[in-house]
Amino acid sequence: MILLKEIQNNIEDLGYQCDFYDASDELPIPMLIIDISEDDYDIEEKDKQYLTVSIMPEGEDLDGSEFIQFYYTNPNLIDTNDLEGFKRSLFRKNRNLPLGHYNFNESESSIYFKYVLVVPKNKSLDIALLNDVLDMCVYAVKNL
């Protein structure tokens, strides 16, 4: 949780709106939710885009590293009528990503982006590195 708070402070320093959510009945693990919507004050809530950040696996399971997961679910449902064509399209898009990958959840007809950054445990996170990773995640989300 300490790392998530550090990440939140750094993300806010980079100019993003970022909220911390503790684990609850609806949310199984603590996470940050970052608003990466376009800078449009008239944007409706349903059109906003949110990138989540969490630490995986939760707890003190690893001795020397932390796994920071960046995750985005596209609110637009996929067309399951041409699933094979969609898979081919997704494969082509994945080849052009600088980091992370796109995938889909067939049962929910949703597509998502995921990237996991591995950092040394008990070390301060470099804000320039975080900025680069966040920029590339936002790039991937905007090109989904």
Side-chain angles (χ1 to χ4, degrees), residues 32-129:
L32 300 175
I33 298 181
I34 307 166
D35 185 346
I36 57 168
S37 306
E38 299 294 325
D39 291 334
D40 184 356
Y41 296 106
D42 294 333
I43 195 167
E44 293 184 37
E45 185 63 34
K46 69 177 181 65
D47 295 324
K48 288 193 173 186
Q49 294 178 298
Y50 299 100
L51 183 68
T52 63
V53 179
S54 55
I55 307 300
M56 304 297 286
E58 185 182 13
E60 302 296 321
D61 297 339
L62 303 171
D63 295 328
S65 56
E66 302 264 13
F67 288 58
I68 305 168
Q69 177 179 271
F70 296 81
Y71 191 88
Y72 169 79
T73 301
N74 191 316
N76 302 316
L77 300 180
I78 60 173
D79 180 8
T80 56
N81 292 326
D82 182 22
L83 206 48
E84 289 307 311
F86 174 75
K87 288 177 184 178
R88 285 190 300 277
S89 170
L90 202 58
F91 178 74
R92 283 190 301 275
K93 284 184 171 230
N94 273 329
R95 288 191 318 203
N96 295 319
L97 281 180
L99 54 78
H101 69 278
Y102 302 125
N103 206 342
F104 67 98
N105 182 326
E106 191 171 351
S107 66
E108 295 178 7
S109 298
S110 64
I111 185 171
Y112 64 87
F113 166 79
K114 179 179 172 181
Y115 173 68
V116 177
L117 173 66
V118 180
V119 298
K121 195 172 212 140
N122 301 321
K123 303 265 187 196
S124 289
L125 189 59
D126 183 290
I127 193 165
L129 172 69

Side-chain angles (χ1 to χ4, degrees), residues 5-50:
K5 289 292 193 175
E6 178 185 347
I7 293 169
Q8 179 183 13
N9 291 336
N10 288 340
I11 287 173
E12 288 172 345
D13 288 347
L14 294 170
Y16 289 92
Q17 169 63 39
C18 180
D19 295 307
F20 175 82
Y21 291 88
D22 219 338
S24 66
D25 290 339
E26 296 85 33
L27 196 63
I29 59 174
M31 69 176 51
L32 300 175
I33 298 181
I34 307 166
D35 185 346
I36 57 168
S37 306
E38 299 294 325
D39 291 334
D40 184 356
Y41 296 106
D42 294 333
I43 195 167
E44 293 184 37
E45 185 63 34
K46 69 177 181 65
D47 295 324
K48 288 193 173 186
Q49 294 178 298
Y50 299 100

